[in-house]
C-alpha cells in the first residue's frame, strides 16, 4: 500500500480476480450444471457447501481454529451468493458482493489499524456475515421485484 498503483494491483489480484473467477466457477458453471441434473434446491446446497469447503480446507493447514471459526460465515455467504444468483439469473450481483467481501477483508488486514479493529471489534467472520446479510437483502429484493413484475404491477 506504499503507492496508489500498488494498492490498485493488490486490490485487483486479491479482491476482484478471485471474486469474478469464483463466481464464474461456483455460481456460473457448477450451479448451472447441477440445476439441470438435480434441480435448484439440491444445486444451491451443493454449491454453497462446496464454496465454503474450498475456502476452509486451505485454512485448516495454516490455522485450524480460524478454519472452524470461518466455516459458518463462509457457508452463510455461499448460500446467500448462490441463492442470489439463482433468484436473479445473473452473476453480476453475487460478483459485486463477493468483491465487496474480499475488499473489506483486504482492508481489515492491510489498511485498518489494529487498534481500531480491536476497538470496533471487527473480525473476518463478522465482515463475511455482513456481506452475506447484504446478499440476503438483495435476494429478497430480486424476489420481490420479480414477483411484482410477474403480477403485472
Amino acid at each position: 500500500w506504499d503507492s496508489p498503483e500498488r494498492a490498485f494491483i493488490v486490490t485487483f489480484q486479491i479482491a476482484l480476480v478471485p471474486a469474478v473467477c469464483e463466481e464464474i466457477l461456483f455460481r456460473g458453471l457448477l450451479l448451472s450444471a447441477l440445476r439441470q441434473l438435480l434441480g435448484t434446491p439440491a444445486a444451491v446446497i451443493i454449491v454453497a457447501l462446496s464454496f465454503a469447503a474450498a475456502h476452509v480446507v486451505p485454512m485448516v493447514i495454516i490455522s485450524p481454529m480460524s478454519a472452524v471459526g470461518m466455516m459458518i460465515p463462509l457457508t452463510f455467504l455461499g448460500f446467500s451468493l448462490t441463492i442470489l444468483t439463482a433468484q436473479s439469473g445473473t452473476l453480476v450481483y453475487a460478483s459485486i458482493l463477493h468483491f465487496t467481501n474480499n475488499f473489506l477483508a483486504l482492508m481489515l488486514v492491510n489498511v485498518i489499524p489494529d487498534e481500531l479493529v480491536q476497538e470496533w471489534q471487527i473480525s473476518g467472520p463478522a465482515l463475511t456475515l455482513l456481506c452475506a446479510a447484504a446478499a440476503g437483502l438483495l435476494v429478497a429484493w430480486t424476489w420481490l421485484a420479480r414477483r411484482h413484475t410477474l403480477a403485472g404491477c
Side-chain angles (χ1 to χ4, degrees):
W1 301 98
D2 51 358
S3 71
E5 295 83 14
R6 176 85 175 124
F8 175 78
I9 290 169
V10 169
T11 301
F12 182 79
Q13 291 176 329
I14 295 178
L16 183 62
V17 171
V20 171
C21 290
E22 289 175 12
E23 290 311 312
I24 291 169
L25 173 66
F26 287 103
R27 259 75 54 191
L29 300 173
L30 190 57
L31 181 62
S32 295
L34 290 175
R35 279 175 102 173
Q36 290 178 355
L37 289 173
L38 306 171
T40 298
V44 166
I45 292 168
I46 292 169
V47 170
L49 293 176
S50 298
F51 173 81
H55 287 80
V56 169
V57 168
M59 285 184 192
V60 170
I61 298 166
I62 299 167
S63 173
M65 291 311 293
S66 292
V68 170
M70 288 299 294
M71 190 62 195
I72 292 172
L74 283 167
T75 301
F76 188 62
L77 182 63
F79 272 106
S80 297
L81 294 173
T82 306
I83 292 168
L84 177 60
T85 300
Q87 285 288 319
S88 67
T90 180
L91 293 173
V92 173
Y93 303 130
S95 296
I96 291 169
L97 281 169
H98 195 152
F99 165 77
T100 302
N101 177 73
N102 293 354
F103 181 75
L104 290 173
L106 186 63
M107 294 295 105
L108 180 65
V109 171
N110 292 296
V111 176
I112 301 172
D114 289 338
E115 313 81 54
L116 198 55
V117 169
Q118 291 172 0
E119 180 182 328
W120 289 354
Q121 298 180 352
I122 303 171
S123 67
L127 286 175
T128 301
L129 284 173
L130 178 64
C131 287
L137 289 173
L138 276 175
V139 167
W141 177 73
T142 56
W143 180 78
L144 289 171
R146 179 184 285 173
R147 190 169 161 204
H148 182 74
T149 302
L150 293 175
C153 299

